[in-house]
Amino acid sequence: MTAAPGTEDAQHAEDTIDVVVVGAGPTGLLLAGDLAAAGLCVTLVERRPRTAANLTRAFAVHARTLEQLDARGLADALVSTGRRIDRLRPFGGMALSLQRLRTRYPFVLITPQYETEKLLERRALSTGADIRYDSELIELTQDRDTVTLDLRRTTDGTRTTLHARHAVGADGVRSTVRTALGLPFPGQAVVRSMILADVRLTDPPEDLLAVDGNAGAFGFLVPFGDGWYRAIGWHRDGRARDGDPVGLDELRTILRTALGTDHGMHDPRWMSRFHSDERQVPHYRSGRVFLAGDAAHVHSPAGGLGMNTGLQDAANLSWKLAAVLHGHAPDPEALLDSYHRERHPVGRLVLRISGALVRAVMATGPVRRTARSLGAAVLPRIGAAQDRALGLVSGIGIAYPPPPGSRRPAGRRAPDLALEPGPHGQRLYEALRAGGFVLVTPPGRPTPPGARLTHVHWRTDRRTAARTACVLVRPDGYVAWSAPRATDAELAAAVAARLLPAATAAPTAGPAQKA
């Protein structure tokens, strides 16, 4: 592509950056904020102008995502922007109570994606991330030591070259980073000619969330809390292409077929037609470059899992990059490889969950529809099955394989443990706000020498039995190691296996590195 006249000589190179993140959606913003908070030099580039409001995106924030935001001191602020749903109604009148979830956030938060993005952008800027809007990635290459990214300003064509120690593509389903790496994105379209719109309603549904489908159509309505509703509609006979015009009457007809009423829909502020794919890249890491969010996996909107999965990708990757770049990781390559090993199976699982939901809603034929009806009748009555389903959709039940030589509960989500009050708070997720590993032990146990972590103690009072276990929790809130009882030497060995002592940690390199 030819540069604008007069801009050929405007290209210039900058000093090496620790990490360049491409894509300023929620995934990229969380990742950039984490890395900057860890003291790394981070640049986040985004093709869109900063003022561009995208109304087409996600609106559901699940429990595990809220826990991750709580670990960054952000959850309460986001909860204040939206409305809570404490029951899921997937199809056929089925109702699953989220109050069964053992978490501080037993609900789905309904809030526009731009609220999540505003919160994460403020945090990224406050921690020192360099965010460059109107900057389009046009080429990415890498060698043994460096990733080179050529950018072009969308406003005037000015060219810039960035050099980074690592790069992350969080730039969506049409990822330029993924294309530059030459990675395939295998999969298929599962739903075609789906309509999305933000509308007002004269007769809002009684339930906060209205969703249902039949052999002919599928409909969905959810409020943003400010008088606007997100509407989604699909009709089995729809053959229109993504770019074809869409009218309010077409959406009204679809919702009447699926829900029995269009609830007096009127005054759309935005409407679009799209198709839904199920795709996943085979490798989340390629040398010094990583993929996260929709750049790595994309699926149907059923279950509201897309943004949440991307944010979990970012939470998993950020602390690993920080540990390696600061020289704190005993085995840097193994730690970076663990991002793909842990998150790729989760992405595959999410594709299966969202795919099963959309196929159940749109089931045709007597056998499939009978199976759907049986599931809707039986699942709410089986506690274990309901807990499993809620755990997967909310993210609370997602676990990683235990690392070699470890055993459960290593790899499982750490609950919000009650702690002795101190400078790091009274809960585990308050202690995680320091951004590093957290060691939980009984009172009186010494901190392992040279350990670069937050050491806290179990809460003990008349209502709480004395705890003897020692638990090491990763920065992303998953258990790294635990033992019912451990000597001081065993505790120190467990910590040293995962964190280099401060005295032996290698200094961070890079001329643009923060002090």
Side-chain angles (χ1 to χ4, degrees):
M1 190 173 294
T2 304
T7 62
E8 292 85 351
D9 297 330
Q11 182 169 341
H12 64 281
E14 301 185 4
D15 291 334
T16 301
I17 299 162
D18 284 321
V19 183
V20 171
V21 180
V22 182
T27 300
L29 288 166
L30 180 67
L31 185 63
D34 281 1
L35 295 171
L40 296 173
C41 182
V42 184
T43 296
L44 175 60
V45 298
E46 169 57 52
R47 180 178 55 84
R48 292 179 293 118
R50 182 181 182 188
T51 56
N54 194 327
L55 303 177
T56 70
R57 303 289 186 89
F59 50 83
V61 185
H62 285 289
R64 186 56 181 157
T65 300
L66 289 170
E67 288 184 341
Q68 293 287 3
L69 295 176
D70 186 24
R72 293 157 176 78
L74 302 174
D76 290 346
L78 188 63
V79 169
S80 70
T81 68
R83 302 179 69 179
R84 307 180 187 193
I85 291 178
D86 60 8
R87 286 183 177 273
L88 293 181
R89 301 180 183 273
F91 52 79
M94 181 192 303
L96 304 178
S97 174
L98 291 162
Q99 297 300 308
R100 299 178 64 93
L101 293 172
R102 296 182 178 181
T103 172
R104 189 178 180 85
Y105 306 100
F107 53 84
V108 176
L109 177 69
I110 302 300
T111 190
Q113 180 173 321
Y114 56 76
E115 295 289 358
T116 303
E117 290 185 354
K118 284 193 297 186
L119 189 70
L120 293 175
E121 182 192 48
R122 285 198 300 268
R123 184 217 180 206
L125 291 171
S126 70
T127 56
D130 174 20
I131 304 181
R132 304 186 187 185
Y133 290 95
D134 296 302
S135 295
E136 179 182 15
L137 176 68
I138 56 175
E139 187 175 358
L140 178 148
T141 58
Q142 62 175 316
D143 56 30
R144 181 177 177 179
D145 302 312
T146 307
V147 182
T148 301
L149 303 97
D150 293 328
L151 310 177
R152 177 175 53 218
R153 284 188 61 82
T154 59
T155 52
D156 59 14
T158 302
R159 301 281 288 271
T160 301
T161 298
L162 302 181
H163 300 287
R165 300 172 70 188
H166 289 284
V168 181
D171 50 342
V173 63
R174 297 178 180 86
S175 171
T176 304
V177 174
R178 188 185 63 240
T179 301
L181 294 172
L183 292 175
F185 204 33
Q188 61 183 347
V190 292
V191 182
R192 299 185 184 277
S193 194
M194 185 174 285
I195 297 174
L196 230 64
D198 287 352
V199 298
R200 293 193 181 274
L201 303 179
T202 302
D203 181 25
E206 293 183 5
D207 287 339
L208 193 61
L209 182 68
V211 56
D212 208 348
N214 50 49
F218 165 77
F220 178 96
L221 285 170
V222 64
F224 285 130
D226 58 358
W228 290 98
Y229 282 73
R230 168 61 52 83
I232 301 177
W234 171 85
H235 197 280
R236 186 169 301 282
D237 295 333
R239 295 292 183 269
R241 298 180 179 181
D242 289 359
D244 289 349
V246 56
L248 187 60
D249 287 342
E250 181 183 359
L251 182 57
R252 283 175 174 150
T253 300
I254 293 173
L255 292 188
R256 288 169 188 158
T257 303
L259 305 178
T261 175
D262 64 11
H263 293 280
M265 185 183 304
H266 62 93
D267 292 337
R269 64 179 175 183
W270 165 84
M271 299 185 74
S272 180
R273 195 187 304 275
F274 75 106
H275 71 277
S276 178
D277 285 357
E278 287 181 355
R279 300 184 184 276
Q280 185 179 28
V281 71
H283 302 287
Y284 283 16
R285 180 188 182 191
S286 177
R288 291 184 166 270
V289 185
F290 302 82
L291 295 172
D294 287 354
H297 47 77
V298 64
H299 43 81
S300 84
L305 303 176
M307 180 184 73
N308 292 272
T309 306
L311 290 170
Q312 303 298 325
D313 291 343
N316 183 287
L317 179 59
S318 63
W319 72 268
K320 295 174 180 179
L321 279 171
V324 168
L325 288 169
H326 279 312
H328 298 166
D331 189 339
E333 286 302 307
L335 185 60
L336 293 178
D337 283 343
S338 73
Y339 168 65
H340 169 84
R341 186 176 68 250
E342 292 181 345
R343 292 305 299 171
H344 190 274
V346 174
R348 187 169 60 244
L349 176 64
V350 169
L351 260 69
R352 287 202 292 262
I353 293 171
S354 62
L357 286 171
V358 77
R359 288 172 177 84
V361 169
M362 300 175 180
T364 58
V367 175
R368 291 183 178 181
R369 295 193 66 79
T370 299
R372 189 187 91 157
S373 299
L374 286 173
V378 172
L379 182 59
R381 301 181 182 182
I382 303 176
Q386 188 175 168
D387 290 343
R388 170 70 172 163
L390 291 173
L392 292 177
V393 172
S394 68
I396 296 296
I398 297 294
Y400 303 133
S406 301
R407 61 180 185 271
R408 295 297 190 195
R412 287 181 178 161
R413 157 193 167 266
D416 196 11
L417 306 173
L419 308 175
E420 282 291 318
H424 299 289
Q426 303 181 54
R427 302 183 287 113
L428 173 62
Y429 282 77
E430 290 176 329
L432 285 168
R433 293 173 188 175
F437 279 75
V438 174
L439 177 63
V440 186
T441 69
R445 298 298 298 273
T447 303
R452 197 184 297 269
L453 49 71
T454 299
H455 186 187
V456 293
H457 302 295
W458 296 104
R459 181 182 301 172
T460 55
D461 53 35
R462 294 178 180 178
R463 298 167 296 175
T464 307
R467 303 285 190 100
T468 60
C470 297
V471 183
L472 183 64
V473 181
R474 303 180 348 177
D476 59 353
Y478 288 83
V479 176
W481 168 88
S482 71
R485 291 178 176 81
T487 65
D488 292 348
E490 290 169 337
L491 190 59
V495 171
R498 293 156 181 84
L499 283 168
L500 288 177
T504 62
T508 309
Q513 183 59 47
K514 291 183 178 182

